[in-house]
Amino acid sequence: MFFLNTQEVQSSSENVPGVQQSPEGQEEYNIDIPQEDIITKFWNCRILKHHKLVQEDLYVRNGIIIDSEQLFYSEKRTPHFDVDCKGMIVAPGLIDLQINGGFGYDFSYYKDTELAVKTVSKKLLAHGVTSFCPTVVTSPYYIYHDILPKIKRQKGGRHGAAVLGVHAEGPFINKEKKGAHPEKFITDHKGTMLSIKEAYGAGYENICILTLAPELRHSDQIIRKLKKDGIVVSLGHSMANLSQSESAVKHGASFITHLFNAMLSFHHRDPGLIGLLTSDQVDLDKLFYGIISDGIHTHPCALRIAYKAHPNGLVLITDALSALGLTDGRHKIGQMDIEIKGGIAFVAGTNTLCGSVTSLLECVKFFHKASGCSMEFALECASLHPAKVLHIEKNKGTLNVGADADFIILNDYFDLISTWIGGDMVYKSGN
Amino acid sequence: MRLVIKEDYNDVSEWAAKYITKKINDFKPGPDKHFVLGLPTGGTPLGMYKKLIEFHNDGKVSFKYVKTFNMDEYVDIPKDHPQSYHYYMWNNFFRKIDILPSNVFIPDGNAQDLQAECDKYEQKMSEFGGVDLFVGGIGPDGHIAFNEPGSSLASRTRVKTLAQDTLRANARFFDNDIERVPKKALSVGVGTVMDSKEVMILVTGSEKAFALYKAVEEGINHMWTVSAFQQHPHTVIVCDEDATLELRVKTVKYFKALPDVVDLTELYADNVDAPQERYDKFKTFY
């Protein structure tokens, strides 16, 4: 919670605005009640549940959303604390599957990895992100060996958003679609897991998403093996044609990295990776794609095409840079210099886009406006859908009973009011 | 028996909610003195619950010292099934008011020994000194709770097998699959409701008009179980104009000419916090 212990709240409830004991609590509620037993009720809110905003209360105990009806009838208990949400929207905490860094820190830079994760995870709370996948771009092996073990999975809390695992973007990608990745470190896995483990080293176990180009030789068997290890294989930075892409998905790939960017443009005779969105050869229920809806990386028209073609696979990502939250000027991404001009990030001295500086909540807002979809759907594209990619939709990205109480409170204009992890308020907007 | 005729459904709902509010407040309930209220489910009382919640939010009534007994519940249906009466009561009423879970009683249709559960239910009611006000609705065939036509007018809480008509009517709530409609229910008996100090029955809509006629103008008959309340010394039937269609003009005129049963304009009572005070308690941190 956002208080330290029960006693403190008991004695000074006036000092903790927004929290008040229910009337019966004052009589029956024992001061020795264990912290994990405390039940908080969030009321006067619209909850995003089953794809709709419903007028319901949210009950939380020990960081988990509980069934209020069961609590009332079977346990015969009432909440200890009530939080008035003032008619606002309560939505699942946002999940960013691709973020390179932010606030001056870069996960791929050879120094200060722990500090980078710590700082970014803390500051992301102010953007409504409660879980994320730190993304490491193509790097030399010794860098992987150094930094990957330092990016450990961690639970979310007041210290910051949860780290779900590393998104390793490269080095097994296509040099012709390298984007902002340094060409000399792009390599081939030769179809063996040995070369994969050689590249990443001991930090391999921290990886949860791996972006590769499926046209590399023997990719299909590698994809199968990666999937067996519990890694989500994402297709991107690739020149793959449609049949190569479909074959990769049939072998277990389930995600596409920043759709439209760093892949062949749509061609009507060979639609390439993009064609997967309407493929009749793969199970589209299991295929998701990341898309950067910052208004720069993907034109609103392209956003709409993707949305209309395969809405349920749409996952909003930021692909944010170390410059997220910074002003114009020169910054570092991996081993490269980048330059921000007017809110747009370029590889220094070129016109190549290299990731965004827009926060995930702003992406949600832009996507809502550009696609004309419902607010509910826009929010789910950055919560439920990414959770499905990682197969964690029972615990994250949802406000169903049994899920982690990671959520955001926001108004109808997507302005963030507060961020909560495990039922604790971890960020509160200044306004 | 009193018949209160209001213009439409909303007026009936409001009047019923006001009546309950007044009864609770006049009773001046406290930690050692609980008001015992019998409650129905179904479509008719929904508006009344909405109004009661409104009054509660306005600080006009508190349910902190109210004990409630529900009329019925299906057998073998999970408590969180959207058609269960546990679900109905929680979502339409209890979760929006300040009632304590320990004061809420609904028959448990999943109990091992159903008859024992029914006996326990009756026993609890009498332990608390009987029901002060039982609120009910009726079916088009004049049933009250699940006391289908033909039920004994002296019946107590028990397992009831539902009539084919009821199953058919309820199928719409179970994907139109009559096989999935629960075949049995636990229900308070006509005698159980008769034992309460006061009874209020809501009747709205023209489809209930014939049942209302049977209840008011015809004799006591176990084929129209609601007619039993002609024998109850304190029964109020609240109905809308549509429900009076089968009544004689004479009957309607007579009841309409009577002054209102109670003055329901003064709802504030001493035992309820004034609205401002209540809102002060709910200070927020935004």
Side-chain angles (χ1 to χ4, degrees):
Chain A
M1 290 282 154
F2 46 95
F3 42 80
L4 293 175
N5 59 51
T6 322
Q7 253 104 341
E8 192 180 296
V9 178
Q10 284 284 313
S11 55
S12 63
S13 56
E14 305 94 318
N15 298 336
V16 189
V19 170
Q20 64 104 32
Q21 287 147 255
S22 46
E24 67 279 10
Q26 284 160 356
E27 284 161 27
E28 295 171 4
Y29 172 20
N30 188 340
I31 205 161
D32 296 327
I33 197 158
Q35 178 88 41
E36 61 268 21
D37 234 22
I38 291 176
I39 302 157
T40 311
K41 166 184 160 187
F42 297 83
W43 64 287
N44 192 9
C45 46
R46 286 165 292 155
I47 298 175
L48 179 53
K49 213 174 166 183
H50 303 308
H51 325 299
K52 272 189 286 216
L53 286 174
V54 290
Q55 200 92 36
E56 243 182 58
D57 307 325
L58 191 74
Y59 283 61
V60 176
R61 172 165 58 193
N62 201 14
I64 305 287
I65 295 166
I66 57 168
D67 180 352
S68 58
E69 190 187 336
Q70 195 264 345
L71 181 81
F72 185 84
Y73 287 127
S74 301
E75 297 186 39
K76 298 209 174 289
R77 294 179 65 182
T78 48
H80 303 99
F81 300 103
D82 288 350
V83 177
D84 182 353
C85 301
K86 297 234 164 172
M88 298 293 173
I89 292 169
V90 175
L94 305 185
I95 301 172
D96 196 346
L97 297 184
Q98 190 170 1
I99 170 167
N100 300 294
F103 317 99
Y105 289 93
D106 189 330
F107 303 130
S108 309
Y109 191 50
Y110 66 94
K111 274 199 294 201
D112 299 333
T113 309
E114 282 113 332
L115 187 63
V117 174
K118 200 176 148 194
T119 312
V120 172
S121 73
K122 173 95 187 157
K123 295 209 169 182
L124 278 178
L125 299 175
H127 297 281
V129 176
T130 54
S131 311
F132 70 111
C133 294
T135 303
V136 177
V137 298
T138 301
S139 310
Y141 287 7
Y142 72 91
I143 294 274
Y144 281 131
H145 296 180
D146 181 41
I147 62 178
L148 288 186
K150 292 178 184 160
I151 311 180
K152 295 194 171 65
R153 288 181 174 85
Q154 67 171 32
K155 284 189 78 171
R158 248 184 285 178
H159 56 272
V163 175
L164 300 172
V166 174
H167 179 167
E169 195 186 0
F172 310 110
I173 55 175
N174 196 319
K175 285 182 183 174
E176 296 193 39
K177 287 290 174 192
K178 64 184 187 322
H181 294 235
E183 187 171 341
K184 59 182 167 181
F185 302 127
I186 292 173
T187 178
D188 195 333
H189 49 62
K190 304 181 194 80
T192 65
M193 283 304 281
L194 196 69
S195 54
I196 298 238
K197 286 182 180 159
E198 197 187 332
Y200 297 122
Y204 171 74
E205 59 188 30
N206 287 339
I207 296 174
C208 71
I209 303 177
L210 200 155
T211 293
L212 53 74
E215 67 272 26
L216 299 186
R217 279 192 306 135
H218 308 303
S219 281
D220 289 350
Q221 65 195 64
I222 283 294
I223 289 169
R224 253 201 332 264
K225 285 174 184 160
L226 288 169
K227 199 190 170 195
K228 227 180 195 169
D229 279 357
I231 291 175
V232 172
V233 177
S234 184
L235 309 175
H237 287 280
S238 152
M239 300 279 281
N241 59 30
L242 181 61
S243 59
Q244 287 166 330
S245 308
E246 285 172 340
S247 169
V249 173
K250 281 180 195 159
H251 283 88
S254 54
F255 197 52
I256 306 173
T257 301
H258 44 52
L259 190 78
F260 299 122
N261 290 282
M263 60 185 65
L264 289 175
S265 297
F266 183 82
H267 190 285
H268 55 289
R269 278 192 295 275
D270 185 356
L273 258 181
I274 299 165
L276 276 179
L277 265 58
T278 53
S279 167
D280 57 358
Q281 300 294 313
V282 302
D283 181 2
L284 286 176
D285 289 342
K286 288 182 188 151
L287 179 73
F288 296 86
Y289 57 95
I291 197 160
I292 313 170
S293 74
D294 60 350
I296 296 157
H297 282 75
T298 319
H299 192 279
C301 279
L303 265 183
R304 283 191 286 272
I305 287 174
Y307 166 62
K308 299 237 160 113
H310 185 23
N312 292 329
L314 198 149
V315 175
L316 296 173
I317 53 160
T318 60
D319 200 13
L321 288 178
S322 56
L324 170 69
L326 298 182
T327 47
D328 285 12
R330 276 190 174 237
H331 303 278
K332 237 183 161 43
I333 171 169
Q335 317 307 318
M336 293 181 89
D337 288 317
I338 58 138
E339 196 172 358
I340 298 187
K341 287 182 281 191
I344 304 175
F346 298 97
V347 175
T350 73
N351 284 326
T352 307
L353 293 172
C354 59
S356 86
V357 292
T358 312
S359 82
L360 190 53
L361 192 56
E362 285 169 55
C363 289
V364 172
K365 192 174 173 177
F366 185 85
F367 172 69
H368 169 63
K369 206 176 137 203
S371 70
C373 72
S374 67
M375 233 187 140
E376 292 92 324
F377 190 84
L379 287 165
E380 283 191 341
C381 284
S383 52
L384 180 64
H385 295 183
K388 280 183 175 169
V389 171
L390 297 178
H391 312 294
I392 53 171
E393 72 270 22
K394 287 234 161 18
N395 302 316
K396 305 261 185 216
T398 166
L399 296 177
N400 289 347
V401 169
D404 297 344
D406 295 357
F407 56 88
I408 53 177
I409 299 182
L410 66 167
N411 66 15
D412 286 274
Y413 309 100
F414 294 100
D415 297 322
L416 185 68
I417 288 156
S418 53
T419 306
W420 301 70
I421 292 183
D424 290 351
M425 186 166 72
V426 293
Y427 168 78
K428 175 174 152 342
S429 136
N431 309 316
Chain B
M1 180 189 282
R2 269 304 291 263
L3 183 64
V4 176
I5 302 166
K6 305 306 280 182
E7 184 62 31
D8 56 18
Y9 177 78
N10 287 340
D11 290 349
V12 168
S13 301
E14 183 167 355
W15 194 92
K18 279 184 177 172
Y19 193 73
I20 294 171
T21 300
K22 182 171 167 55
K23 285 286 160 186
I24 293 173
N25 290 341
D26 287 352
F27 188 84
K28 299 197 192 313
D32 306 317
K33 189 184 169 205
H34 285 82
F35 186 84
V36 184
L37 182 64
L39 292 174
T41 47
T44 312
L46 272 178
M48 176 189 82
Y49 287 131
K50 275 210 184 90
K51 275 286 166 195
L52 280 174
I53 292 161
E54 203 179 300
F55 294 163
H56 169 261
N57 290 342
D58 292 347
K60 291 176 182 169
V61 64
S62 165
F63 296 89
K64 200 173 160 189
Y65 301 116
V66 174
K67 287 187 193 287
T68 65
F69 282 87
N70 265 81
M71 290 195 139
D72 38 23
E73 175 61 291
Y74 289 115
V75 168
D76 277 344
I77 183 171
K79 280 179 186 169
D80 57 355
H81 189 288
Q83 291 307 324
S84 86
Y85 294 160
H86 278 83
Y87 181 95
Y88 175 102
M89 290 308 295
W90 172 245
N91 286 290
N92 291 315
F93 194 41
F94 293 150
R95 75 177 177 88
K96 296 168 183 173
I97 57 169
D98 61 347
I99 196 154
L100 298 182
S102 52
N103 287 339
V104 166
F105 301 91
I106 304 178
D108 180 4
N110 295 304
Q112 281 288 324
D113 184 342
L114 292 173
Q115 193 48 51
E117 166 71 14
C118 294
D119 297 344
K120 216 170 70 193
Y121 201 66
E122 288 271 341
Q123 196 191 331
K124 276 220 192 78
M125 253 184 239
S126 46
E127 245 171 56
F128 301 133
V131 176
D132 292 299
L133 172 62
F134 224 122
V135 184
I138 60 167
D141 58 3
H143 72 248
I144 181 148
F146 274 121
N147 295 293
E148 307 276 28
S151 294
S152 160
L153 300 183
S155 53
R156 314 299 307 185
T157 308
R158 70 226 182 283
V159 186
K160 277 300 287 183
T161 304
L162 306 189
Q164 195 63 25
D165 276 358
T166 312
L167 296 182
R168 228 174 277 134
N170 284 351
R172 63 196 152 115
F173 300 123
F174 296 87
D175 300 333
N176 287 316
D177 182 359
I178 200 158
E179 287 305 311
R180 287 170 57 193
V181 183
K183 308 276 178 297
K184 287 179 179 179
L186 303 187
S187 171
V188 294
V190 180
T192 316
V193 184
M194 283 295 281
D195 280 356
S196 56
K197 293 173 192 109
E198 206 174 340
V199 181
M200 176 164 71
I201 297 163
L202 313 182
V203 187
T204 58
S206 52
E207 71 276 16
K208 306 277 173 76
F210 195 70
L212 185 66
Y213 147 72
K214 284 284 182 183
V216 177
E217 292 183 350
E218 294 282 287
I220 294 168
N221 186 332
H222 71 167
M223 293 313 286
W224 299 86
T225 49
V226 65
S227 62
F229 296 99
Q230 293 173 14
Q231 289 274 41
H232 193 284
H234 297 288
T235 297
V236 190
I237 297 181
V238 196
C239 67
D240 60 2
E241 292 281 357
D242 286 350
T244 65
L245 290 177
E246 300 280 352
L247 294 183
R248 284 180 224 176
V249 175
K250 180 177 157 188
T251 314
V252 173
K253 281 199 165 158
Y254 171 71
F255 282 114
K256 272 196 165 177
L258 294 179
D260 214 338
V261 185
V262 278
D263 180 10
L264 295 179
T265 46
E266 285 182 31
L267 277 171
Y268 291 95
D270 312 335
N271 68 326
V272 183
D273 296 333
Q276 193 50 49
E277 236 173 274
R278 275 171 43 77
Y279 283 123
D280 284 349
K281 284 192 199 165
F282 282 79
K283 271 185 197 146
T284 59
F285 64 106
Y286 299 127

